[in-house]
Amino acid sequence: MNSLYNYAVAFVLGLSVLATSCNLDVDPRQSIDADGALNTPDALEASINSVYGRLRAESTYGRDLLAMADALADVGRTTNNSGRLIGENNNNPNAHFGAGFWQNSYFAINEANLILDQLARGVDGASAAQLARWEGEVKFLRALWYFNLVKVYAYMPTAIYTPGITDEGGVPMPLEGSITSDIAFTRNSPRSSIQENYTQIYSDLEDAIGLLTTSSRAGVQFASAPAAQALLSRVALYRGDWATARDAATAALESNVGTVLGGMDYVEGWRASIHPESMFEVRVQLAAEALGVNVSLQSSYTALLNLDNKNAQGGWGDFVANQTVLNFFGLSQVQIGEPASNNNNWDVTRNEDVRGFLFTTGNTVRNAGRQIESIKFISKNGFAFGDNIPVIRKSEMHLNRAEANYQLGNEGDALAELNAFKGLRGLAPVTVSGEDLLEEILLERFKEFAFEGHRFFDLKRYGRDLDKRYLGPTNFVAFDDFRILPPIPQREVDGNVNLNQNRGY
């Protein structure tokens, strides 16, 4: 049986869509009735919300696209408080993005494809504005899902390891929904080329920009034309299409979605339930939607329950900053009161970089004792373990544009943008050029996006080794090592004669 889409069969075996909501507090549905369940405006809204809702999964933005990605990179170290993320931090074979990420992504893509198929046929009682908005949102979402898949399972267009092997390609890219078991079992989609993947992602985002320009839902939990511009800038950066990355970043910065913050306003932005810089974020609206004490981002990064009382037991604090990150911000533990046994009497030293205020000491309730922990995610919504997750922050656009201008030979513009950004974070300007300028831009990305999941992919798109010998003498993963890519879930390969596995697995 072809299992790449075997979970799509559930679409014809289960429940119809019965209701909709402007909120995203609906469980991702397991099925869509093949007999016209999407042929009403309410059903369309509900089904689109389901595609958004799947972004909350542990395997996706709920944890893995941030915490696991940074554990794979050189951002931090595991504490062994719960035993989670240790294999990924050590880059053990098969300890990488797993079957849940693949399956959740393709389930969401199949939902998106079914919605687009229905939109092409028409929706009873829908206005032209509704049809345009629905198509724009779904194409944004499909682009996001495919981009995450190809950046994880394939090499980047800017750095492809090919010597002595057949090009492994990108990811399978079905653009039509599976609504019958015959389609789901026999499709056997091969891997598209990496360039084909990126071309389709571009197409979806360009369509989304046009469709959402005059019609979009309020709130950064929904797709918008500026969010699509911002995502296009990121995708173009990964593709090495520097002019598009620069121009899309400029369009996103000129929009009214999101606000670039500086100084302590930036720090306070991380305490708001909806990050003011967000151009698109995954919303967690109800405590029931939170991933809980074991695998949420809050629990992964800190043992604190909240910032009001450091003695209150919270999460596990599985993944904390390494010495490199501590040095970025001048972080070291310091006792600020008596007695020392009270965790509220501890904090950290900090340098002039305001991002140091996004770290503090945890507590002593877990195995590893008091650690310096990231507090980007910590009960911002008023309930534990359910923070909203910024997917694209507007500040990223400044760093995208700086890097793109450098690659286009506009070093003056790149340096000016970099120094303006450094000023927002409390840092003095630098005078660098050539390769040193690129390194300074990438270093600023490292600092800015620590514990947000960017670092592994930044290293990957430049074809760089993972030097993690701070964990041990054998923790060095060269770019040509097969462990840079994860295995495609074996049941998918076994069930699809056209699907080749990544090398080494």
Side-chain angles (χ1 to χ4, degrees):
M1 179 185 293
N2 171 20
S3 56
L4 174 58
Y5 305 105
N6 62 3
Y7 33 85
V9 178
F11 278 77
V12 282
L13 299 179
L15 300 173
S16 299
V17 178
L18 299 178
T20 187
S21 169
C22 290
N23 297 322
L24 301 184
D25 55 351
V26 292
D27 291 332
R29 293 166 299 102
Q30 297 303 308
S31 59
I32 294 177
D33 189 333
D35 295 326
L38 297 179
N39 196 27
T40 68
D42 282 354
L44 254 293
E45 293 282 6
S47 59
I48 293 170
N49 286 349
S50 176
V51 185
Y52 282 110
R54 287 190 170 276
L55 295 170
R56 289 195 303 263
E58 172 194 341
S59 63
T60 311
Y61 286 106
R63 188 194 68 173
D64 289 358
L65 279 171
L66 282 77
M68 182 184 291
D70 272 2
L72 290 167
D74 56 356
V75 175
R77 58 180 179 82
T78 50
T79 60
N80 199 22
N81 281 338
S82 76
R84 297 180 182 88
L85 300 176
I86 293 175
E88 292 84 357
N89 201 212
N90 286 312
N91 300 99
N92 294 341
N94 293 301
H96 213 301
F97 284 87
F101 174 66
W102 178 279
Q103 292 161 5
N104 188 51
S105 298
Y106 277 108
F107 204 125
I109 288 166
N110 194 58
E111 287 183 297
N113 286 339
L114 287 169
I115 294 164
L116 291 171
D117 292 346
Q118 182 64 54
L119 290 174
R121 292 191 293 268
V123 178
D124 292 343
S127 68
Q130 283 178 307
L131 292 170
R133 175 172 63 78
W134 290 331
E135 183 181 352
E137 287 190 34
V138 174
K139 286 190 171 180
F140 171 90
L141 288 166
R142 186 170 68 176
L144 179 62
W145 284 105
Y146 269 131
F147 176 59
N148 286 334
L149 278 166
V150 72
K151 79 178 185 181
V152 166
Y153 285 100
Y155 291 105
M156 311 296 190
T158 54
I160 299 176
Y161 176 75
T162 57
I165 64 169
T166 302
D167 179 17
E168 292 162 295
V171 295
M173 194 170 59
L175 300 177
E176 295 179 351
S178 295
I179 60 171
T180 70
S181 58
D182 287 344
I183 295 173
F185 292 158
T186 63
R187 175 168 273 162
N188 285 333
S189 297
R191 298 177 73 159
S192 298
S193 72
I194 294 170
Q195 288 296 346
E196 286 171 340
N197 286 152
Y198 277 82
T199 296
Q200 180 60 46
I201 293 165
Y202 266 40
S203 177
D204 277 349
L205 289 176
E206 288 163 355
D207 286 350
I209 291 165
L211 291 162
L212 295 172
T213 297
T214 59
S215 178
S216 61
R217 285 194 269 187
V220 293
Q221 78 269 38
F222 299 114
S224 65
Q229 290 280 15
L231 181 55
L232 178 60
S233 175
R234 183 186 293 179
V235 173
L237 203 75
Y238 281 48
R239 196 179 196 182
D241 179 0
W242 310 113
T244 298
R246 176 199 60 196
D247 295 345
T250 298
L253 286 167
E254 290 175 350
S255 76
N256 61 359
V257 176
T259 302
V260 176
L261 300 175
M264 291 305 293
D265 287 342
Y266 171 72
V267 177
E268 290 303 314
W270 282 101
R271 303 281 67 83
S273 60
I274 300 173
H275 198 302
E277 287 203 340
S278 285
M279 301 194 74
F280 179 71
E281 71 178 30
V282 175
R283 187 71 59 86
V284 182
Q285 293 177 277
L286 305 172
E289 295 173 345
L291 291 185
V293 70
N294 288 327
V295 298
S296 66
L297 287 170
Q298 176 181 343
S299 186
S300 297
Y301 292 152
T302 178
L304 298 176
L305 182 64
N306 53 57
L307 295 176
D308 297 327
N309 179 12
K310 289 186 175 182
N311 294 309
Q313 181 170 326
W316 288 96
D318 288 317
F319 186 67
V320 298
N322 62 20
Q323 192 61 49
T324 298
V325 174
L326 297 179
N327 290 343
F328 285 159
F329 310 117
L331 302 174
S332 61
Q333 295 195 35
V334 59
Q335 187 176 341
I336 58 175
E338 294 287 349
S341 58
N342 185 336
N343 291 297
N344 292 307
N345 291 327
W346 289 85
D347 196 6
V348 294
T349 61
R350 300 178 179 91
N351 61 21
E352 70 280 6
D353 194 320
V354 298
R355 290 169 292 200
F357 286 95
L358 298 175
F359 297 83
T360 191
T361 48
N363 57 40
T364 53
V365 301
R366 297 300 186 186
N367 301 331
R370 188 184 298 110
Q371 300 288 322
I372 297 176
E373 300 169 343
S374 169
I375 51 172
K376 285 185 173 179
F377 301 93
I378 183 165
S379 300
K380 297 184 296 181
N381 279 353
F383 49 86
F385 315 120
D387 295 298
N388 294 340
I389 305 152
V391 174
I392 308 171
R393 291 194 289 108
K394 203 162 190 174
S395 280
E396 179 190 343
M397 299 301 103
H398 283 300
L399 293 172
N400 287 4
R401 192 163 64 179
E403 184 180 340
N405 269 321
Y406 168 82
Q407 295 289 1
L408 289 166
N410 304 323
E411 287 197 13
D413 291 339
L415 180 60
E417 186 122 40
L418 173 65
N419 280 332
F421 183 81
K422 282 179 171 288
L424 294 172
R425 301 297 179 257
L427 300 177
V430 296
T431 304
V432 290
S433 61
E435 287 291 325
D436 291 340
L437 175 55
L438 175 61
E439 294 307 312
E440 196 68 27
I441 293 169
L442 295 178
L443 179 62
E444 207 58 45
R445 289 183 65 90
F446 191 173
K447 296 176 185 178
E448 180 69 14
F449 299 120
F451 298 90
E452 294 182 66
H454 289 240
R455 176 66 174 173
F456 179 74
F457 302 107
D458 282 347
L459 292 170
K460 186 177 171 183
R461 64 192 176 87
Y462 274 97
R464 299 194 175 185
D465 305 330
L466 293 175
D467 189 349
K468 301 169 71 171
R469 284 172 287 194
Y470 62 87
L471 295 175
T474 62
N475 287 79
F476 182 90
V477 183
F479 178 69
D480 61 3
D481 193 297
F482 75 94
R483 290 173 292 170
I484 295 294
L485 300 183
I488 292 174
Q490 192 58 45
R491 72 173 191 173
E492 311 298 339
V493 178
D494 292 343
N496 182 349
V497 296
N498 297 320
L499 185 63
N500 56 299
Q501 179 63 276
N502 281 331
R503 66 189 177 97
Y505 298 104

